[in-house]
Amino acid sequence: MSTVTAVPIAPVKRAYVLWLWLGLAFALIAGVALAQAGSTGIETTATGLRYKVIKQGTGPHPTDADVALVRYEGRLMNGTVFDKADQPTALPVARMIPGFTEGLKLMSKGAKYRFWIKPELAYGAEDKGPIPANSTLQFDVELVDFMSEEQIRAMQQMMMQQQGGMPSGVVPGAPPQGR
């Protein structure tokens, strides 16, 4: 039969335990403060779109009837870039995913925002190429300018006329009709 010899453990002073608890409380408070500091300036809309204003713009906001000229970068929450436009790109405001449309309508010309778009305002349960189903998307967006689709059509017609566009009744690529 074997016997176990008990080795006495020296008691811990109460002061040490108190300092340990105070250190843990301080670490918890510091962690909460850092988390708050990291999320400072992040707003949430009624639909759940989260955004942060990086640079405030000036003037009016685009509407559903407008086409926005933007630079943007889209990332998954793990940091993977799935889309990027370094050059100003024309995007019809009303024909984007709901979260992007909502975010654009918050911006003014010259503004830079960061959006966090939850799956319900993006692609939901659908896989979209490099974007897995149920993904939260992060976009950094700069609104360079915007104008109405009507203004764009008028400008295109004016450019066609200035370039000596096609006479009315002529179909491009069709053989000329003889008399």
Side-chain angles (χ1 to χ4, degrees):
M1 192 167 200
S2 69
T3 61
V4 176
T5 305
V7 179
I9 298 176
V12 177
K13 293 183 180 180
R14 287 187 185 198
Y16 293 155
V17 173
L18 177 64
W19 282 110
L20 178 64
W21 280 108
L22 287 174
L24 288 171
F26 177 75
L28 179 64
I29 292 168
V32 169
L34 285 172
Q36 290 291 334
S39 64
T40 300
I42 296 177
E43 303 288 332
T44 304
T45 67
T47 64
L49 172 70
R50 296 179 63 221
Y51 68 95
K52 181 175 184 173
V53 178
I54 297 169
K55 178 184 170 195
Q56 197 65 260
T58 58
H61 305 281
T63 66
D64 284 336
D66 292 324
V67 174
L69 196 59
V70 298
R71 289 185 188 97
Y72 67 91
E73 181 175 278
R75 289 183 297 282
L76 300 174
M77 295 308 291
N78 67 8
T80 303
V81 175
F82 61 83
D83 196 7
K84 185 174 184 171
D86 291 326
Q87 298 299 315
T89 303
L91 301 175
V93 174
R95 289 186 236 139
M96 305 305 298
I97 58 174
F100 201 91
T101 294
E102 182 180 358
L104 282 175
K105 293 192 292 187
L106 296 171
M107 302 176 76
S108 298
K109 290 180 186 179
K112 291 182 183 179
Y113 280 36
R114 177 169 289 158
F115 305 137
W116 291 272
I117 303 174
K118 63 183 185 175
E120 297 82 7
L121 297 174
Y123 298 109
E126 291 182 56
D127 282 330
K128 289 289 185 177
I131 303 171
N134 298 311
S135 292
T136 296
L137 309 179
Q138 179 181 317
F139 283 94
D140 288 337
V141 181
E142 176 186 1
L143 180 59
V144 177
D145 200 358
F146 66 90
M147 63 179 59
S148 71
E149 289 184 23
E150 194 174 284
Q151 288 174 306
I152 291 173
R153 273 195 245 51
M155 287 174 53
Q156 288 172 336
Q157 287 177 348
M158 189 170 65
M159 288 175 65
M160 287 292 290
Q161 290 172 352
Q162 287 176 349
Q163 293 175 353
M166 297 288 171
S168 61
V170 174
V171 178
Q177 295 180 351
R179 293 188 178 207

